């Protein structure tokens, strides 16, 4: 390999000093423009090629499906009460109404209202079963109150507990 191979063909000089190119100029390529009605993104993705087979028939594009049961469905702004609340607060939301009949029954999201039942103990039960030299009764009472308040989320309870204890220590004791 020599310098001529590395640098490529060198233009030759004519007698009058003008450069002469040994290559013949190529005719300019015909640029394929974007067809009318095709977005730039689609044209760039497909490369200008039309699909081999249409994915959907043109006759199906503007056809609406026929209703099977011919129900009239509307949305109405209706009141509701939640069984999770004790004050019978009346709130409003949009409800799907079929043939003019609003839905009946309990509020749909009431099934997600779950609460933990924390057992209570008496002084006699505490003396008999829960006496621990590491913990006094007031701390145990406070731990049970926090367990009820925060639904046994011990990470949160550990952050609210007045003495510094780990989550594992609170679960045991």
């Amino acid at each position: 390999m020599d310098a001529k191979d590395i640098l490529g063909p060198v233009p030759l000089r004519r007698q009058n000093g003008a450069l002469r190119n040994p290559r013949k100029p190529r005719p300019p390529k015909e640029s394929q423009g974007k067809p009318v009605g095709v977005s730039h993104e689609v044209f760039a993705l497909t490369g200008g090629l039309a699909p081999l087979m249409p994915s959907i028939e043109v006759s199906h594009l503007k056809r609406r499906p026929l209703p099977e049961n011919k129900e009239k469905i509307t949305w109405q702004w209706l009141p509701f009460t939640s069984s999770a609340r004790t004050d019978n607060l009346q709130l409003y939301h949009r409800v799907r109404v079929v043939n003019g009949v609003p839905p009946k029954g309990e509020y749909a999201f009431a099934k997600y209202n779950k609460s933990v039942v924390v057992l209570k103990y008496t002084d006699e039960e505490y003396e008999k079963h829960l006496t621990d030299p590491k913990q006094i009764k007031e701390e145990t009472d406070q731990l049970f109150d926090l367990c009820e308040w925060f639904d046994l989320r011990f990470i949160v309870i550990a952050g609210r507990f007045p003495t510094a204890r780990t989550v594992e220590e609170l679960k045991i004791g």
Side-chain angles (χ1 to χ4, degrees):
M1 182 179 262
D2 60 351
K4 183 178 178 185
D5 293 333
I6 294 172
L7 295 175
V10 179
L12 303 174
R13 295 203 174 265
R14 292 187 183 176
Q15 286 83 10
N16 61 2
L19 291 178
R20 183 174 58 116
N21 193 353
R23 295 183 190 169
K24 294 181 180 177
R26 294 182 186 169
K29 287 185 178 179
E30 227 181 84
S31 64
Q32 192 177 19
K34 178 182 78 71
V36 178
V38 178
S39 68
H40 290 286
E41 293 83 8
V42 172
F43 183 71
L45 287 173
T46 61
L49 300 174
L52 296 175
M53 175 186 273
S55 59
I56 194 168
E57 290 184 29
V58 179
S59 62
H60 289 251
L61 290 177
K62 292 189 178 180
R63 183 187 308 171
R64 288 189 174 191
L66 297 174
E68 295 174 10
N69 50 8
K70 302 204 180 210
E71 294 178 337
K72 182 179 179 189
I73 298 172
T74 59
W75 291 85
Q76 293 181 1
W77 186 252
L78 297 174
F80 72 96
T81 55
S82 176
S83 60
R85 298 190 62 105
T86 56
D87 58 355
N88 293 327
L89 177 69
Q90 189 175 40
L91 300 170
Y92 290 84
H93 64 156
R94 296 236 177 246
V95 179
R96 184 174 183 237
V97 177
V98 180
N99 291 331
V101 179
K104 295 181 179 124
E106 193 177 28
Y107 177 55
F109 293 100
K111 61 184 173 186
Y112 299 114
N113 181 38
K114 304 290 181 193
S115 61
V116 178
V117 177
V118 178
L119 299 175
K120 301 288 182 184
Y121 56 86
T122 62
D123 292 336
E124 183 181 307
E125 291 172 335
Y126 180 81
E127 294 297 327
K128 190 174 181 182
H129 302 289
L130 298 174
T131 305
D132 187 9
K134 297 178 186 175
Q135 192 168 350
I136 58 176
K137 184 175 186 308
E138 287 77 22
E139 286 184 347
T140 306
D141 292 340
Q142 193 167 20
L143 177 63
F144 272 67
D145 290 340
L146 288 172
C147 286
E148 186 176 7
W149 184 260
F150 294 112
D151 292 328
L152 297 178
R153 294 186 199 106
F154 280 95
I155 302 288
V156 179
I157 293 168
R160 306 290 199 290
F161 203 68
T163 59
R165 297 203 182 169
T166 64
V167 174
E168 289 77 21
E169 291 173 347
L170 287 174
K171 286 181 179 180
I172 294 172

